[in-house]
Amino acid sequence: MDGRRISLDIEEYPNTEVQKNQVLTLEEWQDKWVNRNTAFHQEQGHQLLKKHLDTFLKGESGLRVFFPLCGKAVEMKWFADRGHSVIGVEISELGIREFFTEQNLSYSEEPITEIPGAKVFKSSSGNISLYCCSIFDLPRTNIGKFDRIWDRGALVAINPGDRKCYADIMSSLLGKKFQYLMCVLSYDPTKHPGPPFYVPQAEIERLFGKICNIHCLEKVDAFEERHKSWGIDYLFEKLYLLTEK
């Protein structure tokens, strides 16, 4: 650990408003996939999810698991292979097609009648359905409730001004006795505009605290060489478990 790095007990940055007007359009997110600017994708899956998977699943079977802003997350196949039903939403059709191709899964596609121009991609096995649309259009599909939500690269990617709307949608999707696992990032937001955006614990409590118990399971040093180009010198990832109050 060199002198620049800061301990895991770092105080969260006090100015939570500094990124509030930052906006990325859906087209800009789609361009990231086209231009292969997808360093956020983790080919080996998320190590904190792997570590806490038993806590998350609690030995239950046949769960409905939701992946907001899913990209081509390999973890979707982890859950499907364990017999769970996986539903994701992703704006990039390219990302969705790459998921099925890279996981060697055959699939079909059909229009989403409630959302003009949108599609849903379904694995031939029937236990993975990925909706290609804006997450803010998703409530029109009557997608149902979920037992589990894995939110990695989702809340931190939502424009800060849209977080309340996003949280309301997430809250509407929670079934009884849900487990909502969420990863957020902590860094100095005056040095990097995002995304991924800085999300302090106070923001999670503001968005979800009325209906959820919020527990930080773990925080880890996530700083890599590539993050130097962001202008930051520390980056921590925090894993939160949200449960029914």
Side-chain angles (χ1 to χ4, degrees):
M1 182 75 84
D2 63 43
R4 292 178 307 101
R5 307 297 284 285
I6 301 173
S7 87
L8 286 172
D9 295 323
I10 184 172
E11 291 297 319
E12 296 198 319
Y13 197 82
N15 184 356
T16 58
E17 298 285 293
V18 66
Q19 293 177 333
K20 70 176 182 179
N21 295 320
Q22 293 293 329
V23 172
L24 240 70
T25 66
L26 295 179
E27 291 72 25
E28 287 174 299
W29 280 110
Q30 289 169 315
D31 286 346
K32 284 180 180 290
W33 284 95
V34 171
N35 298 324
R36 300 294 174 199
N37 184 15
T38 54
F40 49 80
H41 175 67
Q42 297 186 336
E43 291 185 5
Q44 303 304 315
H46 199 279
Q47 295 309 301
L48 285 179
L49 175 61
K50 196 175 287 186
K51 178 177 178 179
H52 293 276
L53 196 57
D54 290 343
T55 299
F56 189 44
L57 293 177
K58 296 174 66 177
E60 296 180 43
S61 58
L63 298 169
R64 295 190 84 227
V65 185
F66 183 55
F67 278 66
L69 282 56
C70 62
K72 57 178 181 178
V74 301
E75 300 94 326
M76 293 190 286
K77 189 153 188 301
W78 295 359
F79 288 105
D81 286 348
R82 287 168 170 78
H84 304 297
S85 177
V86 174
I87 292 89
V89 62
E90 169 58 48
I91 194 60
S92 171
E93 184 172 323
L94 179 59
I96 290 175
R97 291 187 186 278
E98 286 184 3
F99 167 76
F100 286 110
T101 300
E102 292 173 11
Q103 300 300 326
N104 296 310
L105 296 171
S106 58
Y107 64 95
S108 61
E109 60 184 272
E110 59 190 65
I112 302 173
T113 55
E114 300 93 340
I115 308 173
K119 300 177 185 177
V120 59
F121 295 76
K122 297 181 179 180
S123 64
S124 299
S125 60
N127 61 350
I128 301 176
S129 298
L130 305 184
Y131 287 73
C132 187
C133 63
S134 164
I135 194 160
F136 297 111
D137 288 331
L138 197 65
R140 290 152 61 183
T141 65
N142 297 315
I143 202 168
K145 305 280 188 181
F146 292 92
D147 306 298
R148 302 289 187 273
I149 294 180
W150 169 234
D151 186 323
R152 183 261 161 186
L155 178 60
V156 297
I158 294 292
N159 294 328
D162 294 331
R163 282 179 187 157
K164 180 64 169 65
C165 183
Y166 173 83
D168 288 346
I169 291 172
M170 290 297 102
S171 298
S172 75
L173 298 177
L174 296 170
K176 292 288 185 185
K177 298 181 180 178
F178 66 84
Q179 299 257 90
Y180 183 164
L181 208 54
M182 172 191 296
C183 269
V184 298
L185 297 171
S186 186
Y187 61 85
D188 182 344
T190 65
K191 295 182 176 180
H192 177 57
F197 298 109
Y198 167 59
V199 181
Q201 182 165 332
E203 181 75 337
I204 299 172
E205 291 171 350
R206 180 182 76 85
L207 295 171
F208 296 101
K210 287 185 179 178
I211 64 164
C212 298
N213 295 310
I214 298 166
H215 177 56
C216 184
L217 293 181
E218 191 165 351
K219 48 185 176 179
V220 296
D221 186 346
F223 190 85
E224 299 174 2
E225 188 69 23
R226 67 185 178 92
H227 295 129
K228 289 181 180 178
S229 67
W230 296 8
I232 62 175
D233 54 11
Y234 68 89
L235 178 72
F236 298 111
E237 188 165 35
K238 297 182 179 182
L239 182 70
Y240 287 90
L241 178 63
L242 281 58
T243 56
E244 192 172 21
K245 260 192 172 175

